Amino acid sequence: MVLSKKAKQISTSLTLDITAKAKKMKAEGIDVIGFGAGEPDFNTPKNIREAAIKAINGGMTKYTAASGIIELKQSIIRKLAKDNNLTYVPSQIIVSTGAKQCLANVFQAILNPGDEVLIGAPYWVSYPELVKLADGKPVYVESREDNQFKLTIDDLNKSITSKSKAIVLNSPNNPTGTVYSREELMKIADFAKINDLIIISDEIYEKLLYGSTAHISIASLSEDAYIRTIVINGVSKAYAMTGWRIGYAAGCTEVISLMSNIQSHTTSNPNSIAQYASVEALNGEQEDIGEMIVQFKLRRDYMVEKINSIHNLSCLKPEGAFYVMVNIDDLLNKSVNGKVIKNSIDFSDFLLEEEKVAVVPGIAFGADNFIRLSYATSMENIKNGLDRIARFTNNIC
Ligand SMILES: Cc1ncc(COP(=O)(O)O)c(C=O)c1O
């Protein structure tokens, strides 16, 4: 039987593979420490959980409008005005089953076969696959660690062709933690204007910031940037709500209504109860975010210092999100217990075998001389896990 050629091009998620492997080892009673987590290790705040219970008991358990309930759209509009200085009306907002579905919808809505989408590398694993699913072509633009993994206009210019349709911007960034400044965003907005590109601005880590750089939405920089940007955001990371599956997008009515049509035939509305809970997340008290950031910052500081004290490993100090990209370049083509470490997958596999530590190989993000560690895990795990990593690197020769 000939199955879909398009589906066969889609890779499995290496991040999920490594998590599954670590979970299996744990289930077998092995003491594994996981640095793969892509979600806060905190519980969803109480006021949000209670709003969900109220929604269930109040019978808010039926289909809603496919693009989301008006109460949530209004809360999103208020949030975007207050935090991001952006003005929208409800027809410019769609609520989806996670930011991931917003991204899937937007690529389906804007791309024609062969259209190219510029994606900075290292990149979040799903961007290229979502572009391919929408018949587009991902074009990777390498960023350099010595430029804090920021895209430069020179590099972007080298990648532009007559088929370039859009650029994906992700600040704060997964996996690098990089946060773009206003000046840097202005340059990218100019580049998009000159080349008439749609900007997909994934701002899902907006609230998780630890450095001096504030989060700025590129859409807020000018009238032109506002018109050509689709802002993607959601409640998953800021409110520890990954399992609730609520994300949203804001942009011009034409694109948003195409996204809504697509969504109405694929999944219909996102979960009704989670939508009511998200109204509370956005409108209710925001104190829990502050507490989460304090913990993440302590862990980041410990992790960065420890990694840079380990011989042959190094990392930058990320300013946002909850990941650290660790440079393993000096350890490639060396051996551990007679096994040669040829790439980031070997490094991660051998580390799991030898020391029972699960990390994500950088190749998953298009950066084979790195591994990614998440600090969305307890300080105890971080200390213990990094001690094991130090021991592992000591045995490499
Ligand atoms: C950069 C980035 N964008 C989007 C998402 C998807 O978030 P959601 O859980 O809202 O689908 C993630 C989740 O890991 C992410 O890291």
Side-chain angles (χ1 to χ4, degrees):
M1 196 187 294
V2 182
L3 300 181
S4 157
K5 283 185 201 148
K6 186 157 78 177
K8 284 186 175 175
Q9 278 181 36
I10 305 303
S11 61
T12 62
S13 163
L14 270 176
T15 46
L16 296 185
D17 284 357
I18 196 101
T19 315
K21 223 182 203 175
K23 269 197 182 139
K24 187 167 170 278
M25 288 170 81
K26 252 188 196 153
E28 289 162 1
I30 302 167
D31 167 30
V32 179
I33 295 180
F35 284 113
E39 57 187 351
D41 54 319
F42 301 97
N43 200 359
T44 305
K46 193 157 175 263
N47 59 319
I48 301 174
R49 284 182 274 139
E50 281 173 351
I53 293 166
K54 197 169 154 214
I56 294 174
N57 291 333
M60 307 305 190
T61 51
K62 307 279 196 270
Y63 289 134
T64 73
S67 63
I69 57 173
I70 188 68
E71 295 91 323
L72 182 50
K73 288 189 184 180
Q74 297 287 15
S75 305
I76 292 165
I77 287 169
R78 275 196 297 275
K79 180 256 171 255
L80 290 166
K82 185 164 113 312
D83 293 351
N84 310 110
N85 201 20
L86 290 167
T87 308
Y88 295 102
V89 294
S91 61
Q92 293 180 278
I93 307 289
I94 178 172
V95 184
S96 304
T97 301
K100 192 179 269 187
Q101 193 188 14
C102 294
L103 288 159
N105 286 335
V106 80
F107 292 128
Q108 301 264 2
I110 65 171
L111 297 179
N112 286 307
D115 281 352
E116 294 179 355
V117 178
L118 302 179
I119 300 174
Y123 47 78
W124 178 52
V125 284
S126 293
Y127 297 135
E129 310 311 300
L130 292 174
V131 167
K132 286 191 247 167
L133 277 171
D135 293 325
K137 184 176 166 214
V139 173
Y140 305 112
V141 186
E142 296 292 329
S143 65
R144 292 190 331 272
E145 190 183 23
D146 62 12
N147 192 37
Q148 293 164 346
F149 295 111
K150 287 178 180 173
L151 293 174
T152 67
I153 301 303
D154 273 357
D155 293 334
L156 285 168
N157 273 328
K158 284 184 204 139
S159 306
I160 204 93
T161 74
S162 58
K163 292 193 172 152
S164 306
K165 182 70 164 280
I167 176 170
V168 175
L169 185 69
N170 174 215
S171 173
N173 185 277
N174 173 10
T176 63
T178 295
V179 181
Y180 283 78
S181 69
R182 177 182 291 274
E183 291 67 33
E184 289 156 351
L185 291 172
M186 279 171 76
K187 286 188 192 152
I188 292 178
D190 277 351
F191 168 80
K193 184 178 179 185
I194 293 165
N195 295 289
D196 196 19
L197 299 177
I198 297 171
I199 304 170
I200 311 294
S201 180
D202 181 348
E203 304 179 15
I204 191 87
Y205 292 98
E206 156 185 31
K207 300 281 180 191
L208 304 179
L209 288 179
Y210 322 106
S212 54
T213 318
H215 171 75
I216 290 168
S217 176
I218 192 165
S220 68
L221 293 181
S222 67
E223 185 58 26
D224 181 82
Y226 174 80
I227 292 164
R228 64 177 66 253
T229 300
I230 306 293
V231 175
I232 309 284
N233 207 327
V235 295
S236 291
K237 316 285 178 177
Y239 301 97
M241 287 177 75
T242 45
W244 300 70
R245 310 307 303 126
I246 296 291
Y248 56 86
C252 70
T253 306
E254 203 184 344
V255 174
I256 296 294
S257 72
L258 289 179
M259 292 168 69
S260 302
N261 282 348
I262 293 164
Q263 182 165 300
S264 74
H265 293 294
T266 49
T267 55
S268 301
N269 61 276
N271 179 296
S272 61
I273 302 151
Q275 289 191 67
Y276 284 97
S278 300
V279 171
E280 174 61 23
L282 295 177
N283 294 352
E285 53 163 67
Q286 306 286 306
E287 274 163 24
D288 288 286
I289 300 182
E291 183 48 34
M292 195 161 74
I293 288 168
V294 169
Q295 296 304 323
F296 277 148
K297 187 169 185 298
L298 285 171
R299 297 170 186 181
R300 175 202 69 159
D301 291 348
Y302 178 85
M303 192 179 253
V304 167
E305 203 180 320
K306 178 74 187 182
I307 288 165
N308 285 313
S309 76
I310 299 175
H311 184 52
N312 282 334
L313 291 185
S314 65
C315 68
L316 296 178
K317 195 172 202 173
E319 293 207 305
F322 40 69
Y323 310 101
V324 174
M325 284 292 266
V326 181
N327 190 321
I328 56 164
D329 220 15
D330 288 345
L331 296 172
L332 294 180
N333 300 316
K334 294 189 175 162
S335 301
V336 60
N337 275 346
K339 295 171 292 194
V340 181
I341 305 170
K342 291 185 295 296
N343 49 42
S344 61
I345 294 187
D346 286 350
F347 187 98
S348 310
D349 279 348
F350 300 161
L351 178 61
L352 189 59
E353 280 164 26
E354 301 286 327
E355 291 290 346
K356 318 294 178 253
V357 174
V359 301
V360 183
I363 190 72
F365 316 103
D368 208 13
N369 44 350
F370 290 87
I371 53 169
R372 189 195 76 178
L373 303 191
S374 160
Y375 47 91
T377 185
S378 69
M379 193 60 132
E380 193 192 343
N381 276 347
I382 291 172
K383 287 186 175 166
N384 198 344
L386 289 174
D387 285 346
R388 293 187 194 186
I389 291 176
R391 198 163 55 204
F392 176 72
T393 59
N394 273 341
N395 289 330
I396 298 176
C397 50

